[in-house]
Amino acid sequence: VYMDVSGATFTNCHSVNEGGALFHNNNTNQTTAYLTVRNSVFTNCYATGNNRYSYGGAVCNKSSTLTVDSCRFEGCYAQSNGGAINHGAENPDRVKTTITNSTFDSSRTTGTDGGYGFGGSVFTQAKSVEITDCEFTGSTAYNHGGALYCQSSANSLQTTISGTTFDNCSVTRSGGYGGAIYSLGKAL
């Protein structure tokens, strides 16, 4: 299952469930599946209405490697996880998240009674997460990870962040962690 998106513009897109603008699902669980998004703009895209299962305001990718390069996310939000991007995996040890040269402006998660609301801009479950030369401005999460929330259920997560700025990022819930970054894994 492969998907490439390049030079696309998404404005005011909405989903009640997952992926306000774009949803990609590797339901075959192939180990070589991927989603690549390049040179694209997502503005005011959102996933709301299904409480705990409104993931990825702009992009929701499930169980395949994700690459985002030279993209802009503005004002995207999700009721649950990943205000701009939600990258979830049933088997995180098979997938990787790579985001380069991209900007996230005013992305947020609103949270629900179920305690969700992780990753104001990006929520990811992957073995390896690389964020390079990106900008996160005004990202807000209800729970943990104002801009970025990374986890791996196998506790083997390797997170690398370089050349990236985080400005005015926060969590809103009392007891929330990581105003900019929340990571569960080996290295940061």
Side-chain angles (χ1 to χ4, degrees):
V1 179
Y2 308 102
M3 184 174 194
D4 289 300
V5 177
S6 182
T9 301
F10 302 88
T11 305
N12 298 321
C13 299
H14 174 247
S15 172
V16 173
N17 291 307
E18 301 168 279
L22 184 89
F23 177 79
H24 180 256
N25 187 8
N26 176 23
N27 59 4
T28 63
N29 215 14
Q30 294 176 0
T31 57
T32 58
Y34 67 83
L35 168 62
T36 301
V37 184
R38 288 189 171 90
N39 302 311
S40 295
V41 178
F42 299 82
T43 305
N44 297 323
C45 297
Y46 57 102
T48 60
N50 195 10
N51 296 325
R52 296 183 352 189
Y53 302 106
S54 295
Y55 300 127
V59 176
C60 184
N61 181 48
K62 288 188 158 188
S63 298
S64 62
T65 291
L66 173 66
T67 301
V68 174
D69 180 43
S70 301
C71 291
R72 190 169 72 235
F73 299 85
E74 298 176 357
C76 298
Y77 61 97
Q79 191 168 351
S80 191
N81 299 334
I85 298 172
N86 184 85
H87 182 202
E90 291 182 25
N91 188 346
D93 287 337
R94 292 188 190 177
V95 298
K96 179 178 181 177
T97 303
T98 304
I99 303 174
T100 55
N101 301 311
S102 296
T103 61
F104 298 83
D105 187 9
S106 302
S107 297
R108 68 188 188 280
T109 59
T110 58
T112 66
D113 293 335
Y116 290 82
F118 301 110
S121 287
V122 177
F123 174 94
T124 182
Q125 295 172 312
K127 182 176 184 174
S128 172
V129 178
E130 294 178 15
I131 310 291
T132 307
D133 299 329
C134 293
E135 294 180 18
F136 294 85
T137 304
S139 297
T140 305
Y142 169 73
N143 221 332
H144 304 315
L148 179 62
Y149 181 99
C150 308
Q151 84 172 55
S152 178
S153 60
N155 199 27
S156 61
L157 174 65
Q158 296 177 354
T159 303
T160 304
I161 300 169
S162 63
T164 295
T165 60
F166 298 87
D167 183 33
N168 199 29
C169 300
S170 63
V171 293
T172 59
R173 184 181 70 87
S174 175
Y177 297 102
I181 303 166
Y182 183 92
S183 180
L184 295 171
K186 285 182 167 180
L188 178 62

